Amino acid sequence: MSRCILNHIKYVGAVRGCTRNAIVNFSRKVSSSSSRDNNSGSVRHTTILVQNGASIQELPVIVKKAGQREFVAYCSNNVPLEPQEAQESAAVATPEDIQMPMEVLSSIERCLTTNGVLSLVNSMSEEELSAEIAAYALEKLFRTETLLNLKNAEQSRVFLRLMGTLLKTGDTKLLLSVMSKLRNLLDLSHTIESFSEELLMRNTDNRLSVQEICEAIEICVSCGQREAAEKFWTGLAERASEIDERNLGRVYRVAPLLKVTRRMLISLLDRRISACWSGLRASEVVTILPALEKCQSPPFRTMQSLSRWLSTNIHCIDEAHLEAIVTALTNLQYADAQLERSLERYVKARGIKIQRQTLIVALLNFCSTFRIRNYHILNGCSEYFVMNASTLETKHLRAIVTPFGQLNYQPINGMRFWQTLEGTMDRNFGRMAPGDVISVSLSCVYLEMFPLNFVKRIFNPYFLDVMHQASRPEIVAHHRMQLKLFDTAMALECADYDGPWLPRDHTARSVWQDGRIKRMLNQINQHIENVAGGIDRFSTCIYLAQLPITELHIIDILLHPAGLGGAWKLRPRTERNIHTAVLIHLPEHFNSTGEYLSGPQSMRIRHFRKMGLKVVTLKYETLAKLKIHPKELNAYLVERMKSALPAFSA
C-alpha cells in the first residue's frame, strides 16, 4: 500500500491489503480543521472506488494538503509516523517524565471550578505539562463542570493548550480514554472533532492496533462522529493479517455500527474467518453470530465456517453458549446438514442430562423453523419433557409441544408424552396464556390426540374474556381463528366431542392465498381441463360452507360433475366420493426433506376426506418443472388422479 499524491483531481493508484484497485475520486471535498501542527496541512475528505474482484464500492478516506495544488490521500502506511518534533520528544522520554506527580494530581482534584483548573494549568511550563496531566485535567472538567461552562471554556487558550498537549504527545489509549468521557457531552463538537481527526490521522499512519481501531469506531459512533468512524476501514484493511481468532469477534462487534464500509469489512472478515475458524472460542462465536444478525445477509462462506466450528466443538461447548448459537442461527435463517448432525450428536449424548430448559426450547424452535424432522432430536426433547415436566416453567410449554404438531411427528415415548402433557396442562392451566392453551390444544389435534378434558375450560366464558382482553386486536383475531379451527377439527374428527361450540361464520371476507399457487393454477388450467373432461367440470379456489373460511380450507381445484360447481350445491354428507379436491402443496408444506407433510396440511386432508371428498395432492415443485413439458405434465396429473385418497366412511 502506498500513499497517493494527487495533482489537481487526477490519480489512479494501487491499494494493497484490502483491494486490487483503488480509483481516487476527488470530486467532493469537505474541509475540516487539523488537530496537528500547521506544517502538516489541512485535513479533507474524499472517496475512492475500491474494486475487489467483481465488486466495486465507493469508500471514504481522508486527504491532507501537501502543496498548493497537491493532496496526499492517506490510505496507506507509507507516511511519516510522527512529526519531527514529536519523534525527538519521544526519543528522550523516560518513565519519570511521563509519571504524573502526586502533588499536581492533588492540586487538580482540589479545584472546584473550571477557572481553578485552567489557572493551575496556565501556571505550568511546557516541560511540566505532560499528556497525562492534560488528560486528568480534561477528565476533571468533564466530570464536574456543567455543559454550559464547558462550552464557554472550549475555545479558551488554556483549554486549547490542554487539547494540543494531549493530542500531540498522548498515546492512543489515553486519547480513547478521554474521548470516551465525551459520550454525554455531544455539544462539545469542536473538541470531539479534534479527537476524531487525531485518531484518524494515527489510523492512516498505521499506528493503531486492531483493538484500538475497534474501540475508536465505537467511541466515534457514540459521540456522533459516524462519518469519521467510516474512515477507519483503511487501518483494518492494512492490518488484515493481524485479525485472528483472538480479535475476530471484536472486529465483528463493530461491523453493525458502520453503514458505508460495512460490506467491505464483512467481506474482509469473511476471508479471515475461513483461515482461523478452528481456533475460535465459544464466546467469540456467540459474539460473531449476533453481529452478523444485525448486519443482515451474512456471507455463505462465513456461515459454513461457523457450522464447521460447531461440528468440531459440539462435544465441549456448554449449554448457555449452545443456546445462544442455536438461537442466533435460527434468527439468521441458516441451517445445513452438518449443523443438523451436530445438534443430533449433542442431543444423543446429553439428552435428559441437559439442565437448561431454554436450550430445549431453542432446539425445538430450530427444528420447527427449518422443518427438520430429525427423530433423534425430537425424541430426545420429548424424553426430556417427560422427565422434567414437574419443574418445567409454564411459559415454555407451548414452545416444547407445538413443534411436534407442526412437524407432524408422534414422539417415540407415545402415551407417556401425552399423559405427561395432560397432567402438566391440568396443573398449570390457570397460569397459561390463552393463546398458549389454544396453540397446544391445536397441536394435539394435528396429531389426532384430542384434549377432551380441557374443552369445557377452553370454551368457558371467563377464559374467552381473558383471551379478548389480554392481547392486541390482531393477536385476538388470530387466536379466534385458531379457536374456530380447533372447534371444527374436534367436531369432525372426535366422536366424543359435544360441539361444535362456536356458531358458524357467515361473514363475507377475503382470505389470503399464496400467489405461487394462483399463478400455477393459471399455467396448468388447460391441462386440468383435459383431465377433468371439460371447463364446466372443475372449479378453482373453492370453500366448503361447512368449514371455516381460512387459508387452510381452500380447495385449490375441485373436480365435480358438469354444472355442479359452487360450494352451495355440494352435499358431501350424502354424496361421498363424487367430488375430488386437488391440493397443490408448496415446499414449506413438507418437512425439509420433502418426505412428510406438516401437521396442519395432514389435518387439512383429513377434513376434506371427512366431508366426503376424494383428495389428490400435487407437488408445486414437480408442476413447476413439468409445466414446459405438456406430455409429462398430463401423465403426472393422470397418475396422481389414479392415486386419489378416498373419502372416509360416513
Side-chain angles (χ1 to χ4, degrees), residues 43-110:
V43 175
R44 303 193 182 189
H45 307 272
T46 186
T47 58
I48 59 174
L49 297 178
V50 178
Q51 180 177 356
N52 183 18
S55 175
I56 299 178
Q57 188 178 5
E58 185 180 13
L59 299 176
V61 294
I62 65 171
V63 293
K64 292 183 65 180
K65 192 171 183 179
Q68 185 174 0
R69 302 177 66 84
E70 288 186 341
F71 292 85
V72 181
Y74 279 86
C75 56
S76 69
N77 63 332
N78 295 330
V79 294
L81 293 180
E82 292 275 357
Q84 187 64 30
E85 296 83 355
Q87 289 183 356
E88 291 175 357
S89 62
V92 297
T94 64
E96 290 75 12
D97 294 329
I98 64 174
Q99 183 177 2
M100 183 185 300
M102 291 303 298
E103 58 272 16
V104 178
L105 177 86
S106 301
S107 300
I108 294 176
E109 191 61 36
R110 285 195 298 269

Side-chain angles (χ1 to χ4, degrees), residues 107-108 111-122 141 145:
S107 300
I108 294 176
C111 293
L112 301 178
T113 63
T114 301
N115 291 334
V117 175
L118 296 182
S119 299
L120 179 60
V121 172
N122 191 38
L141 293 176
E145 272 301 339

Side-chain angles (χ1 to χ4, degrees), residues 406 438-439 441-446 450-451 458-459 467 477-494 497 500-505 509 546-554 599-608:
Q406 289 292 329
I438 297 171
S439 296
S441 301
L442 195 55
S443 296
C444 296
V445 175
Y446 291 156
F450 307 113
I458 292 174
F459 291 102
M467 182 187 75
H478 176 69
H479 291 163
R480 291 179 62 180
M481 185 55 65
Q482 282 188 316
L483 192 60
K484 179 63 178 177
L485 188 59
F486 171 77
D487 186 43
T488 302
M490 291 289 288
L492 283 175
E493 299 188 62
C494 182
Y497 187 64
W501 290 69
L502 299 178
R504 185 172 297 175
D505 187 6
R509 63 174 181 272
Q546 295 85 348
L547 297 178
I549 303 175
T550 66
E551 177 195 351
L552 194 63
H553 288 115
I554 297 176
Q601 293 299 320
S602 296
M603 186 184 72
R604 177 191 187 192
I605 293 174
R606 294 199 306 269
H607 287 186
F608 291 144

